[in-house]
Amino acid sequence: MATNKLVVLGSINADHILNLEQFPRPGETVIGKNYTVAFGGKGANQAVAAGRSGANIDFVACVGEDDIGQRIRKQLAADNIGVGSVEASPGTTTGVALIFVNRDGENVIAIDPGANAALTPDYLARYEKKIIDASVLLMQLESPLETVIAAAKLAKLHQTQVILNPAPARELPDPLLALVDTITPNETEAERLTGVAINDDASAARAAQILHGKGIPTVLITLGSRGVWLSRQGHGKLIPGFKVDAVDTIAAGDTFNGALVTALLEGEDMDKAVRFAHAAAAIAVTRSGAQPSIPWRQEIDAFLQ
Ligand code: ADP
C-alpha cells in the first residue's frame, strides 16, 4: 500500500563491551577495562537510524521480561520509533551480545538471542496490519528465518516493498530471495550468497548479476569506505562514500540501511538516497559504539551542505 510508513522487523540486543589487552586463552582470566553496556542488535540499530533520520517507523521486535528490556524500549521510543509492537516476551531475557575488543581493535563476540527467538510467525501475525499498511518493510537476519520469510510473503502480497539487509552472513533459500525488492549485503554477505569474492567493481557486478538472477530487482553491495555498488536492470555503478577519519565502523551498515530507507520513503531517487545514507554512515564511523554513533537528521543535513 502506498503510505510513507516503514516497518522494521528485527533484533534487539544489549551489547556488553569490554576492552582487553589480549583475548584470554581457554582457562585463562584476564583483566579488562572500560566496561560499557550499549543498546544494539541489527534490527534496533536500523530502526534507530531510520527514526533519527526522520522516518515514520514502527518496529516489530521482542525484548525480555527484564529491566534492560524496559530501558531499551523507552530509548527506542525517544528515538522517534513506534514501539507498540515491541513486546516483553514472557519468560525470556533480552538478547545479549558479549563483546571483547583487544588492543588492535579486533573483536570477538558471543550472542544469546534470548527474546529475539520469540519473534515467531505467531508473534508477527499480531502485527500483520502494520506490514500490510506500510510502504516498506526492512529486515535483517538476526530473527528466526521462518519469521523473515512469513513477513516477506505478507509484504509481497500487499505491495509493501521488501528491503533485506542479509546480515549476519548466511546462505538463504531462493524462494525468500525471490520475494526481495532490494538487497543490501556487505562484501562478506554478498560472497556468502553468491560464492563470488568481492574485490573490485567487476566482481561486485558479477555478484549483483547472480542476485538479479534470483529475482531481486535492486542490488546494493556496500563496500566499506569505498561506498556501494548499485545495480539495477542489468546496469551497475559505483557510488563512492564520503572520506572521513573513521574511529569505529560498528553499525556503519545499519546506519546506511536505516537512512537509505528514510530517503526512499521521502521520494528521493536511489542515487540521492544512497548519498544521504553514505552521509549518515560516514558520520556514524567517526564516533564509537553502535546506537550512540547514529546521527539525527539535522546532523546529516548539515553534513550534506
Ligand atoms: P557493514 O558495516 O555492514 O560491514 P560496510 O562496511 O560496507 O557495511 O559499510 C556500510 C556503509 O558505511 C558504506 O557503504 C559507507 O557508506 C559507510 N562506511 C563504512 N566505512 C566507512 C569509512 N571508513 N568511511 C566512510 N564511510 C564508511
Side-chain angles (χ1 to χ4, degrees):
M1 190 195 262
T3 57
N4 64 348
K5 194 92 198 177
L6 167 66
V7 171
V8 174
L9 182 145
S11 59
I12 293 177
N13 286 332
D15 293 344
H16 296 256
I17 306 164
L18 189 59
N19 289 93
L20 312 171
E21 275 298 301
Q22 278 180 302
F23 299 131
R25 288 184 299 270
E28 189 186 9
T29 300
V30 298
I31 305 292
K33 60 178 181 189
N34 304 334
Y35 171 67
T36 50
V37 181
F39 300 158
K42 289 181 192 300
N45 293 346
Q46 293 183 20
V48 167
R52 289 187 191 165
S53 62
N56 180 1
I57 165 189
D58 275 321
F59 188 24
V60 178
C62 296
V63 290
E65 273 189 317
D66 44 21
D67 287 348
I68 192 134
Q70 285 316 308
R71 275 167 51 207
I72 290 174
R73 199 169 178 278
K74 267 205 199 109
Q75 180 58 47
L76 291 169
D79 282 324
N80 191 31
I81 295 165
V83 295
S85 38
V86 178
E87 289 184 35
S89 173
T92 68
T93 50
T94 298
V96 293
L98 304 181
I99 304 174
F100 292 142
V101 182
N102 72 8
R103 63 169 172 242
D104 298 324
E106 296 168 319
N107 57 44
V108 293
I109 303 177
I111 286 182
D112 176 354
N116 293 308
L119 186 52
T120 59
D122 281 348
Y123 181 88
L124 169 70
R126 296 219 283 284
Y127 297 108
E128 276 191 348
K129 190 161 178 336
K130 289 193 185 295
I131 292 177
I132 292 170
D133 290 347
S135 355
V136 172
L137 169 67
L138 172 63
M139 299 187 286
Q140 321 73 33
L141 300 174
E142 282 183 342
S143 305
L145 192 61
E146 51 177 356
T147 310
V148 172
I149 293 171
K153 279 186 183 155
L154 182 69
K156 200 74 191 172
L157 214 55
H158 295 277
Q159 289 82 49
T160 300
Q161 293 267 315
V162 179
I163 303 187
L164 180 66
N165 174 234
R170 56 166 292 171
E171 283 163 34
L172 288 173
D174 283 349
L176 169 59
L177 294 175
L179 296 168
V180 172
D181 296 289
T182 300
I183 196 162
T184 60
N186 67 12
E187 288 153 299
T188 313
E189 293 143 13
E191 177 173 355
R192 186 66 73 86
L193 291 172
T194 64
V196 177
I198 318 278
N199 37 40
D200 53 15
D201 290 359
S203 50
R206 272 202 307 284
Q209 281 313 321
I210 292 172
L211 292 167
H212 289 316
K214 308 263 185 200
I216 305 172
T218 303
V219 176
L220 277 164
I221 302 175
T222 62
L223 307 168
S225 60
R226 286 193 66 220
V228 301
W229 183 259
L230 166 63
S231 179
R232 34 193 357 199
Q233 286 146 9
H235 176 74
K237 65 177 177 187
L238 180 77
I239 305 184
F242 291 97
K243 289 221 174 342
V244 290
D245 288 328
V247 171
D248 124 21
T249 60
I250 295 175
D254 292 335
T255 305
F256 180 90
N257 277 275
L260 178 81
V261 173
T262 296
L264 291 174
L265 283 167
E266 289 178 7
E268 297 290 8
D269 64 30
M270 188 56 88
D271 285 49
K272 283 219 180 100
V274 167
R275 195 175 127 77
F276 182 81
H278 273 332
I283 296 170
V285 303
T286 62
R287 306 170 180 168
S288 2
Q291 287 172 27
S293 74
I294 298 172
W296 287 83
R297 178 59 172 260
Q298 293 94 313
E299 299 172 272
I300 306 171
D301 287 343
F303 183 93
L304 282 169
Q305 256 164 27

